[in-house]
Amino acid sequence: MKATIAKQWLLGIGICLSMVSCDSDRVFERNDDFENRIWAAEDTHTFLFTIDDAQTDYEVSLNVRNSLIYPYQNLYTTISIEDSTGTEIYQTLKNTSLFDEKTGEPLGSGLGDIFDHQSVVVSGLRFPHTGTYTAFVTQAMRMDSLPEIMSVGIRVAKMEK
């Protein structure tokens, strides 16, 4: 048990360091943890972020952390983005592969039995104006309680010109 906690702690430190270093294009990134590693179908995660430059193209990515005993090969999520008036500017159903379809080997980066995935949701998104935006993320699997998902998050970054 202590070894698993130590591995999770080291993985978390490594991820934080990698996210902080050399990431000047990142506008926003936050991950929300799930209590007891369960993502309930009615549990929508809300992420508020600010766009200061409406003339730039952005890339929005989904972050997912899961354990090796997650029971499926993939994860379906619904992601929508609204401006401060509640107008939806983007919406999609995202299929993220967490394990190789043929071999069952985990994808993403990991340590021990925990793996992190970052997958692009939309690339080249131009926000219509500066201001506050809200991203909503819900799981869209066929289970009310999705086990062994540890966290979900959103990353918004300026695209290189």
Side-chain angles (χ1 to χ4, degrees), residues 27 47 52 67 71 116 144 156:
V27 173
F47 303 92
D52 294 329
S67 79
D116 290 298
D144 288 336
V156 180

Side-chain angles (χ1 to χ4, degrees), residues 8-62:
Q8 290 176 354
W9 186 79
L10 286 172
L11 178 64
I13 294 293
I15 290 168
C16 288
L17 289 174
S18 68
M19 289 179 182
V20 171
S21 62
C22 303
D23 199 1
S24 62
D25 292 332
R26 182 181 59 215
V27 173
F28 173 84
E29 187 163 13
R30 192 184 89 217
N31 299 302
D32 290 349
D33 293 331
F34 293 107
E35 192 172 320
N36 301 319
R37 297 182 177 191
I38 295 174
W39 190 356
E42 68 274 0
D43 189 7
T44 299
H45 285 261
T46 304
F47 303 92
L48 272 72
F49 58 94
T50 303
I51 297 297
D52 294 329
D53 182 359
Q55 303 304 311
T56 299
D57 291 336
Y58 292 85
E59 183 173 270
V60 178
S61 298
L62 175 71

Side-chain angles (χ1 to χ4, degrees), residues 79-130:
I79 300 148
S80 61
I81 300 172
E82 295 179 358
D83 68 11
S84 59
T85 68
T87 301
E88 187 174 80
I89 64 161
Y90 184 82
Q91 192 274 332
T92 191
L93 176 66
K94 172 81 173 147
N95 180 12
T96 304
S97 293
L98 305 180
F99 297 91
D100 184 272
E101 189 175 332
K102 293 182 181 183
T103 67
E105 292 293 316
L107 302 173
S109 60
L111 181 66
D113 67 343
I114 300 169
F115 286 81
D116 290 298
H117 312 266
Q118 187 172 82
S119 57
V120 175
V121 173
V122 59
S123 187
L125 179 64
R126 187 159 293 187
F127 291 93
H129 51 80
T130 60

